């Protein structure tokens, strides 16, 4: 009976120690998130472009008329991040993913910084994100005429910690994406027009951290 009591006491002590033992963590952090990004698009503005022929320079010859009206736009955004945690409030790494703007896709690659705003040992931990990089134009109706550009994005989020360095993420923020479209006027791009684009979107994502 004494032996049985000793075994039961030992098991209970081991369980109590296991519940209070801090989970093992790794300095590497990986997050995967998916969500939507939304923003209001301004209508195209009419413009005119110069034209050159055998007689010289003819200003305001080629007129460009607006083809896009104003309206709200919602697109898909997928993001993955891999970084190294120097401190709970400082994790640096790279982010990449896919962003859709209307019917055009961009593949962003950016240097990213993340960090916990308060202690990471809490059940719910707020965090911040900062990104800056370049996006390559993906599938789009303009083929090679559409070029990517510089991007930057700040954001805030909440991580619901599950233990062992894993957690569920909810985040929101702002993203600014630049791009340009080089369209030919005469069919061979001896003459061309360049449309500079600035996509400004608010994003909402959910995902997991490992």
């Amino acid at each position: 009976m004494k032996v049985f009591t000793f075994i039961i006491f030992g098991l209970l002590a081991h369980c109590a120690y296991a519940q209070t033992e801090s989970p093992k963590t790794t300095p590497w952090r990986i997050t995967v998130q998916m969500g939507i990004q939304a923003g209001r698009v301004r209508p195209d503005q009419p413009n005119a472009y110069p034209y050159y022929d055998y007689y010289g320079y003819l200003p305001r010859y080629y007129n460009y008329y607006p083809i896009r009206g104003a309206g709200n736009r919602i697109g898909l955004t997928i993001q993955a991040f891999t970084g190294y945690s120097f401190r709970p409030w400082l994790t640096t790494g790279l982010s990449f993913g896919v962003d859709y703007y209307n019917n055009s896709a961009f593949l962003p690659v950016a240097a990213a910084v993340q960090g916990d705003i308060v202690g990471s040992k809490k059940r719910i931990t707020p965090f911040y994100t900062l990104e800056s990089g370049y996006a390559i134009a993906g599938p789009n109706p303009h083929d090679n005429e559409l070029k990517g550009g510089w991007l930057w994005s700040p954001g805030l989020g909440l991580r619901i910690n599950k233990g062992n360095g894993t957690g569920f993420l909810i985040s929101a923020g702002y993203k600014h994406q630049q791009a340009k479209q080089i369209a030919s006027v005469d069919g061979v791009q001896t003459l061309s027009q360049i449309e500079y684009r600035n996509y400004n979107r608010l994003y909402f994502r959910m995902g997991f951290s490992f």
Side-chain angles (χ1 to χ4, degrees):
M1 186 65 181
K2 291 183 179 180
V3 174
F4 180 77
T5 303
F6 178 79
I7 294 174
I8 295 297
F9 178 79
L11 290 174
L12 291 175
H14 176 75
C15 292
Y17 174 77
Q19 291 178 356
T20 57
E21 183 181 13
S22 59
K24 296 180 180 179
T25 60
T26 172
W28 290 98
R29 177 176 296 179
I30 300 174
T31 66
V32 178
Q33 298 184 74
M34 177 183 296
I36 61 172
Q37 52 186 10
R40 184 165 181 82
V41 177
R42 297 179 179 178
D44 283 346
Q45 299 297 321
N47 207 340
Y49 298 86
Y51 179 76
Y52 296 85
D53 66 0
Y54 295 107
Y55 300 99
Y57 175 76
L58 299 175
R60 303 189 64 81
Y61 179 88
Y62 178 79
N63 292 316
Y64 171 71
Y65 296 97
I67 59 176
R68 181 180 61 227
N72 297 321
R73 300 291 189 272
I74 297 178
L76 176 68
T77 174
I78 302 173
Q79 188 224 39
F81 168 80
T82 301
Y84 186 89
S85 297
F86 296 94
R87 295 289 188 274
W89 48 268
L90 180 60
T91 301
T92 62
L94 293 175
S95 68
F96 53 92
V98 181
D99 292 326
Y100 284 93
Y101 299 91
N102 303 340
N103 54 1
S104 299
F106 289 86
L107 310 176
V109 178
V113 178
Q114 294 186 5
D116 299 334
I117 299 176
V118 298
S120 59
K121 295 183 180 180
K122 295 183 178 296
R123 173 68 171 174
I124 299 178
T125 304
F127 64 90
Y128 72 89
T129 64
L130 294 172
E131 299 177 15
S132 180
Y134 188 91
I136 303 170
N140 67 89
H142 310 292
D143 296 327
N144 294 330
E145 292 183 351
L146 185 63
K147 309 298 181 181
W150 175 67
L151 69 92
W152 63 276
S153 175
L156 295 172
L158 292 175
R159 184 175 67 253
I160 303 174
N161 297 305
K162 297 295 184 179
N164 296 322
T166 64
F168 178 73
L169 304 178
I170 302 174
S171 63
Y174 168 82
K175 173 169 280 190
H176 174 83
Q177 172 69 61
Q178 295 182 354
K180 66 180 178 180
Q181 180 187 352
I182 306 175
S184 63
V185 174
D186 59 354
V188 295
Q189 289 194 351
T190 302
L191 295 175
S192 63
Q193 64 184 33
I194 301 178
E195 176 189 357
Y196 293 95
R197 300 182 180 183
N198 291 299
Y199 298 100
N200 299 290
R201 297 291 190 271
L202 296 176
Y203 70 79
F204 304 90
R205 300 182 184 134
M206 293 187 297
F208 299 92
S209 64
F210 306 92

